[in-house]
Amino acid sequence: MALAYDTRTQFVAVALKRSRIDGFGVFAAEAIPAGTRLGLLTGESITVAEARRRAQESRRLMLVELSPARAIDCSRSQDAMRFTNHSCRPNARIQVEDGEVSFFALEDLAPGAEITVDYGVTHHEGRLACRCGAEGCRGAL
């Protein structure tokens, strides 16, 4: 389904669809050149300690650490990019700068391509199985 998105936080057309990786994913709804800023991620500002506490309570979270002291919980955000799934061979990246979380295309994305990022070190500490299916998958998050 196409998303009605906020142009203040979403800079390219995307669609939210079922993903073979996990739940729903974000898919390019138009051709997107490499290097394009895709969108922003917003959410509730919390301490890193609170983020770690929430991670212990739930499997379904979207937490991003902004600094050693602050994080954002995007679990209830309306941003399309919060549905971005992990891949060990991503086609996009997350950049945290000045308290803002942006997504950028690492390669040209064709319409229909699922947008994925490497979550890197997570609060799951290797306890959550990775289902990206990419060649060389690490197997866990």
Side-chain angles (χ1 to χ4, degrees):
M1 90 175 114
L3 294 177
Y5 48 83
D6 187 336
T7 57
R8 293 172 295 177
T9 59
Q10 190 63 46
F11 310 133
V12 298
V14 296
L16 180 62
K17 299 191 268 186
R18 287 273 178 205
S19 168
R20 68 168 183 75
I21 297 172
D22 187 41
F24 284 92
V26 179
F27 294 78
E30 62 185 349
I32 302 171
T36 300
R37 188 177 187 205
L38 305 171
L40 299 174
L41 193 61
T42 63
E44 178 187 3
S45 179
I46 59 177
T47 65
V48 168
E50 175 62 12
R52 291 184 178 148
R53 187 192 69 72
R54 289 181 185 185
Q56 296 301 314
E57 291 180 351
S58 175
R59 279 182 53 102
R60 291 270 178 215
L61 284 180
M62 178 53 167
L63 299 169
V64 177
E65 289 189 18
L66 303 174
S67 72
R70 301 300 302 168
I72 58 171
D73 181 348
C74 310
S75 300
R76 292 186 212 117
S77 150
Q78 297 301 306
D79 302 325
M81 299 311 292
R82 83 178 185 101
F83 291 99
T84 306
N85 279 314
H86 165 83
S87 176
C88 294
R89 293 189 62 151
N91 58 18
R93 67 178 174 86
I94 298 175
Q95 178 176 310
V96 178
E97 187 172 25
D98 298 326
E100 189 170 78
V101 180
S102 299
F103 291 76
F104 291 88
L106 289 172
E107 58 192 53
D108 292 341
L109 302 172
E114 182 170 5
I115 298 169
T116 60
V117 297
D118 185 340
Y119 289 175
V121 176
T122 71
H123 293 285
H124 299 293
E125 300 172 342
R127 295 183 308 263
L128 185 63
C130 179
R131 297 184 291 224
C132 75
E135 185 177 324
C137 176
R138 294 188 297 266
L141 299 176

